[in-house]
Amino acid sequence: METILLVEDDQQIALLLKELLERYDFHVIHEDGLGDVVARFEETQPDVILLDVNLPKFDGFYWCRQLRMKTRAPILFISARVGEMDQVMALEYGADDYIVKPFQGAVVIAKIKSQIRRAYGTLSQESDERTVSRAGLTLYLDRYIVEHEERSIELSKKEGLILEMLLTVSPRIVSRGDLLERIWDDEAFVDENTLNVNITRVRKRLAEIGIGGLETVRGVGYKLVLDK
C-alpha cells in the first residue's frame, strides 16, 4: 500500500481527496500546510506528494522546491489556479504533474498511478541517479543539487553545468573557452563578464555548504581544488 502525503488547507477538498484515494487502497496522510511540510514528509516518508498551491504559511511552489531537495518521490499539484505560468512554475520547481480543480477522480487516480509506475515500477530507471563526486562533495546531475557533509543547496542550470565541468576534472583547470562553449553554445555572443558573474555565484553557493577551493587561474580559466 503506497502512502500519499496530501497537503491541502481546504478541509472539504482534503476529505474528498482522502476518501477517493482510500477507495483505491492508498494510505493518506493529511497536512493542512500550517506546519512544516518538509518535517511532516521526513516523519512519514510518503511515496507520493499531492500539493495545493494556495497554502496558509508558504505557497505550494515553496514547499515543492524544498521537498525536491529531499526526495525524488513524485510530486503532483492539485490547484484551482489555471494560469499557464502557474503550471510552468510548478514544473520548474520540480513537480511531476499539475491537475486543475475541479478535478475528475478517475484522472487523479490515473495520474498518481502513472507517476508511481515511473518512479517505482516498470518505467522507473534501472540505474541510480547520475552524480559526480569528489572529496565528499556530490553533485546530482538530474536535479542540480550539490551536497556536502549533510548540507545541500540547489543550483541554477548554468551554475550546475559550471560545477559539473569543474568537479569532473578536479583539480585540473577548465578553460574559459570550454566553459563558454559548453554553457552558452546556443547564444551567438556572450560577454565574458557573464561567465565571471556565474563563477562568482558558484563560489558563493559552495561557500554556503562550507566548500572553498574554486580558484581563478589568470588568463587561463578555473579549477576546483577540494583537498585543501
Side-chain angles (χ1 to χ4, degrees), residues 45-74:
Q45 293 296 308
D47 301 291
V48 178
I49 302 148
L50 296 185
L51 270 176
D52 189 15
V53 174
N54 296 319
L55 294 169
K57 190 174 181 181
F58 298 105
D59 66 22
F61 301 131
Y62 170 84
W63 289 122
C64 182
R65 183 168 182 171
Q66 299 303 309
L67 288 164
R68 187 50 78 211
M69 294 174 67
K70 299 285 186 179
T71 181
R72 297 177 65 193

Side-chain angles (χ1 to χ4, degrees), residues 50-104:
L50 296 185
L51 270 176
D52 189 15
V53 174
N54 296 319
L55 294 169
K57 190 174 181 181
F58 298 105
D59 66 22
F61 301 131
Y62 170 84
W63 289 122
C64 182
R65 183 168 182 171
Q66 299 303 309
L67 288 164
R68 187 50 78 211
M69 294 174 67
K70 299 285 186 179
T71 181
R72 297 177 65 193
I75 300 174
L76 295 85
F77 275 91
I78 298 186
S79 175
R81 290 166 64 164
V82 299
E84 180 180 340
M85 186 53 63
D86 292 314
Q87 298 182 45
V88 170
M89 286 179 63
L91 297 174
E92 287 290 330
Y93 282 127
D96 297 284
D97 208 338
Y98 192 102
I99 305 169
V100 175
K101 299 175 184 176
F103 51 81
Q104 293 183 335

Side-chain angles (χ1 to χ4, degrees), residues 108-122:
V108 173
I109 296 300
K111 285 180 175 289
I112 290 173
K113 288 184 175 181
S114 174
Q115 292 300 331
I116 289 173
R117 288 195 300 271
R118 290 179 182 277
Y120 310 113
T122 57

Side-chain angles (χ1 to χ4, degrees), residues 5 29 36-46 49 66-67 69-71 150 152:
L5 176 61
I29 299 169
D36 187 330
V37 174
V38 173
R40 192 69 184 277
F41 164 81
E42 292 178 334
E43 173 191 345
T44 58
Q45 293 296 308
I49 302 148
Q66 299 303 309
L67 288 164
M69 294 174 67
K70 299 285 186 179
T71 181
E150 299 184 354
S152 65

